[in-house]
Amino acid sequence: MVRTRGADGRAALLLDLAGEADALPVFRSRTRGDVDVSARLKLRGPLDAAALAGRLTVDRAELRLGPLGAPSVVGTENPEFTRLLDSLTAKPAGLVERLTDDLVRNLRFEGLRATMGSDVWLRSPEVAVQLAGSVAVSHARDAEGRTGGGLDLSRLALVGDLSMPRGTYRLDAGVLQRVFELQKGALHF
């Protein structure tokens, strides 16, 4: 439901929306990987301070990294990066775009969790590890302890633990080449 309210004499958009998605492809990149998610989400509150809550499940993902230890530079010669920059820096043209911009800039996360499904992998030429577990999605705090809001990726914070139940590591040291089986590991956020 979307309502307007004007107790103070001004109209404001008030959101109360719920949505579900199953196995939705959210990211496709020949070089960086693929991600499919299922979600049960609620978006509530005034447009300029809406809160997103619910659960995301990463059903399937293959996130590709470059060789470990190699320099990694992303620049405008990369067409995927250029398309991403264009989509993030486009200027709003009309009312709908301005409203969307307000929502994205001020969005808050309240109780949003991301859970890894059974087919989530992190891969590089040397490493292939499966990820499992769940993390809370929130905003990082600044020096004054404020969390801010919005979808600024540099301000997103993950809180929790992801386990690495299995995987492999390929050592290539010239004449010495060996594959190690990884039996367990953890990422702490």
Side-chain angles (χ1 to χ4, degrees), residues 96-168:
V96 172
E97 291 81 5
R98 284 195 305 273
L99 292 175
T100 303
D101 190 46
D102 284 346
L103 175 65
V104 169
R105 186 176 46 253
N106 299 305
L107 186 65
R108 296 177 294 117
F109 300 118
E110 290 183 357
L112 183 62
R113 291 206 64 81
T115 301
M116 302 303 117
S118 61
D119 192 18
V120 178
W121 289 85
L122 185 60
R123 298 184 191 275
S124 77
E126 302 86 5
V127 174
V129 293
Q130 183 182 20
L131 298 177
S134 70
V135 291
V137 180
S138 64
H139 291 95
R141 296 189 181 277
D142 63 15
E144 287 80 36
R146 296 178 303 230
T147 58
L151 290 180
D152 177 0
L153 296 180
S154 69
R155 303 276 302 144
L156 289 182
L158 302 178
V159 179
D161 298 318
L162 294 179
S163 64
M164 295 180 287
R166 63 187 175 127
T168 59

Side-chain angles (χ1 to χ4, degrees), residues 24-40:
L24 180 70
V26 295
F27 182 74
R28 293 285 183 262
S29 168
R30 191 172 34 82
T31 57
R32 298 292 179 208
D34 303 315
V35 179
D36 296 340
V37 301
S38 294
R40 307 293 177 265

Side-chain angles (χ1 to χ4, degrees), residues 6 9 29 38-39 49 55 59 71 88 95-96 125-126 174 182 184:
S29 168
S38 294
R55 293 193 68 80
D59 300 310
L88 294 175
L95 176 62
V96 172
E126 302 86 5
L182 303 176
K184 68 178 180 176

